[in-house]
Protein backbone atom coordinates (compact mmCIF):
# COMPACT_ATOMS: atom_id res chain seq x y z
CA UNK A 1 0.00 0.00 0.00
CA UNK A 2 1.58 3.26 -1.16
CA UNK A 3 0.94 5.94 1.42
CA UNK A 4 3.15 8.71 0.03
CA UNK A 5 2.99 9.37 -3.70
CA UNK A 6 5.89 11.39 -5.07
CA UNK A 7 6.18 13.19 -8.37
CA UNK A 8 8.39 15.75 -10.07
CA UNK A 9 11.83 14.21 -10.33
CA UNK A 10 13.83 14.20 -13.50
CA UNK A 11 16.84 15.54 -15.34
CA UNK A 12 17.77 19.20 -15.06
CA UNK A 13 20.80 21.25 -16.00
CA UNK A 14 23.06 22.96 -13.50
CA UNK A 15 21.41 26.15 -12.32
CA UNK A 16 17.95 24.88 -13.13
CA UNK A 17 14.93 24.37 -10.94
CA UNK A 18 12.75 21.46 -9.97
CA UNK A 19 9.62 20.96 -7.91
CA UNK A 20 8.90 17.72 -6.05
CA UNK A 21 5.44 16.93 -4.76
CA UNK A 22 4.24 14.37 -2.24
CA UNK A 23 0.58 13.52 -1.93
CA UNK A 24 -0.88 11.53 0.94
CA UNK A 25 -4.03 10.93 2.94
CA UNK A 26 -5.56 13.56 5.17
CA UNK A 27 -4.87 11.41 8.23
CA UNK A 28 -1.17 11.13 7.50
CA UNK A 29 -0.85 14.73 6.40
CA UNK A 30 -2.56 16.23 9.44
CA UNK A 31 -0.71 14.11 11.99
CA UNK A 32 2.83 14.20 10.72
CA UNK A 33 5.66 16.48 9.85
CA UNK A 34 6.32 16.20 6.14
CA UNK A 35 9.80 16.22 4.76
CA UNK A 36 12.18 15.35 1.97
CA UNK A 37 15.33 13.30 2.31
CA UNK A 38 17.84 12.36 -0.33
CA UNK A 39 20.34 9.59 -0.87
CA UNK A 40 23.17 9.72 -3.36
CA UNK A 41 25.01 6.57 -4.45
CA UNK A 42 27.36 5.39 -1.74
CA UNK A 43 26.11 7.94 0.77
CA UNK A 44 23.71 7.90 3.70
CA UNK A 45 20.22 9.23 3.44
CA UNK A 46 20.07 12.82 4.63
CA UNK A 47 17.40 15.34 5.47
CA UNK A 48 16.82 18.06 2.89
CA UNK A 49 13.90 19.94 4.45
CA UNK A 50 11.01 19.35 6.82
CA UNK A 51 7.82 21.20 7.68
CA UNK A 52 5.68 20.38 10.70
CA UNK A 53 1.90 20.34 10.75
CA UNK A 54 2.14 23.72 12.47
CA UNK A 55 4.29 25.17 9.72
CA UNK A 56 7.70 25.12 11.40
CA UNK A 57 10.41 24.58 8.80
CA UNK A 58 13.99 23.50 8.85
CA UNK A 59 16.42 23.13 5.95
CA UNK A 60 19.71 21.37 5.61
CA UNK A 61 22.61 23.77 5.26
CA UNK A 62 23.35 22.55 1.74
CA UNK A 63 19.96 23.73 0.40
CA UNK A 64 19.24 26.73 2.61
CA UNK A 65 18.51 29.66 0.33
CA UNK A 66 17.95 27.38 -2.67
CA UNK A 67 14.90 25.43 -1.55
CA UNK A 68 11.37 26.10 -0.34
CA UNK A 69 9.19 23.51 1.34
CA UNK A 70 5.47 24.04 1.76
CA UNK A 71 2.27 22.27 2.72
CA UNK A 72 -1.04 22.50 0.90
CA UNK A 73 -3.75 21.62 3.37
CA UNK A 74 -6.43 21.64 0.66
CA UNK A 75 -4.99 18.65 -1.17
CA UNK A 76 -2.74 17.06 1.49
CA UNK A 77 0.41 17.69 -0.49
CA UNK A 78 3.89 18.68 0.55
CA UNK A 79 6.02 20.40 -2.06
CA UNK A 80 9.74 21.03 -2.29
CA UNK A 81 10.94 23.59 -4.81
CA UNK A 82 14.66 23.65 -5.47
CA UNK A 83 16.50 26.34 -7.40
CA UNK A 84 20.05 26.80 -8.60
CA UNK A 85 20.55 23.05 -8.69
CA UNK A 86 24.07 21.66 -8.66
CA UNK A 87 25.49 18.32 -9.83
CA UNK A 88 25.99 17.36 -6.17
CA UNK A 89 22.22 17.57 -5.70
CA UNK A 90 21.92 14.43 -7.83
CA UNK A 91 20.25 11.76 -5.69
CA UNK A 92 17.08 9.81 -5.09
CA UNK A 93 14.72 12.07 -3.18
CA UNK A 94 12.32 10.50 -0.71
CA UNK A 95 9.19 11.98 0.75
CA UNK A 96 8.87 11.33 4.48
CA UNK A 97 6.11 11.64 7.02
CA UNK A 98 7.20 11.61 10.64
CA UNK A 99 5.06 11.55 13.75
CA UNK A 100 4.22 9.51 16.82
CA UNK A 101 3.82 6.44 14.63
CA UNK A 102 7.35 6.73 13.35
CA UNK A 103 8.55 7.23 9.79
CA UNK A 104 6.64 6.63 6.59
CA UNK A 105 8.63 6.71 3.36
CA UNK A 106 7.77 7.26 -0.25
CA UNK A 107 9.20 5.13 -3.02
CA UNK A 108 11.71 7.77 -4.06
CA UNK A 109 12.14 9.86 -7.18
CA UNK A 110 15.38 10.37 -9.07
CA UNK A 111 16.78 13.86 -9.48
CA UNK A 112 19.74 14.18 -11.82
CA UNK A 113 21.56 17.46 -12.33
CA UNK A 114 23.79 17.54 -15.39
CA UNK A 115 26.89 19.69 -15.50
Amino acid sequence: QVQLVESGGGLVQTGGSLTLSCATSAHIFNNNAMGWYRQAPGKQRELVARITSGGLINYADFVRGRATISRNNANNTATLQMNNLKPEDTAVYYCNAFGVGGHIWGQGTQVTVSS
Side-chain angles (χ1 to χ4, degrees):
Q1 179 183 359
V2 178
Q3 295 180 294
L4 303 176
V5 180
E6 300 148 336
S7 60
L11 175 65
V12 63
Q13 292 185 333
T14 296
S17 299
L18 207 62
T19 299
L20 304 179
S21 294
C22 176
T24 186
S25 69
H27 176 74
I28 290 174
F29 190 78
N30 293 330
N31 291 284
N32 288 274
M34 301 297 297
W36 289 91
Y37 286 69
R38 72 184 189 186
Q39 187 167 19
K43 295 188 177 182
Q44 289 188 333
R45 192 172 297 189
E46 58 186 355
L47 175 69
V48 178
R50 178 189 292 134
I51 181 169
T52 69
S53 57
L56 295 177
I57 294 172
N58 63 293
Y59 295 102
D61 287 343
F62 57 77
V63 294
R64 189 170 288 112
R66 301 190 295 126
T68 302
I69 189 170
S70 60
R71 299 173 68 109
N72 186 325
N73 296 330
N75 59 16
N76 305 317
T77 299
T79 299
L80 177 69
Q81 178 167 356
M82 296 185 292
N83 303 311
N84 191 23
L85 285 162
K86 307 173 183 179
E88 51 264 42
D89 293 319
T90 295
V92 178
Y93 283 70
Y94 295 91
C95 180
N96 170 269
F98 176 68
V100 294
H103 289 277
I104 303 171
W105 295 97
Q107 75 279 12
T109 184
Q110 178 70 45
V111 171
T112 302
V113 184
S114 63
S115 57

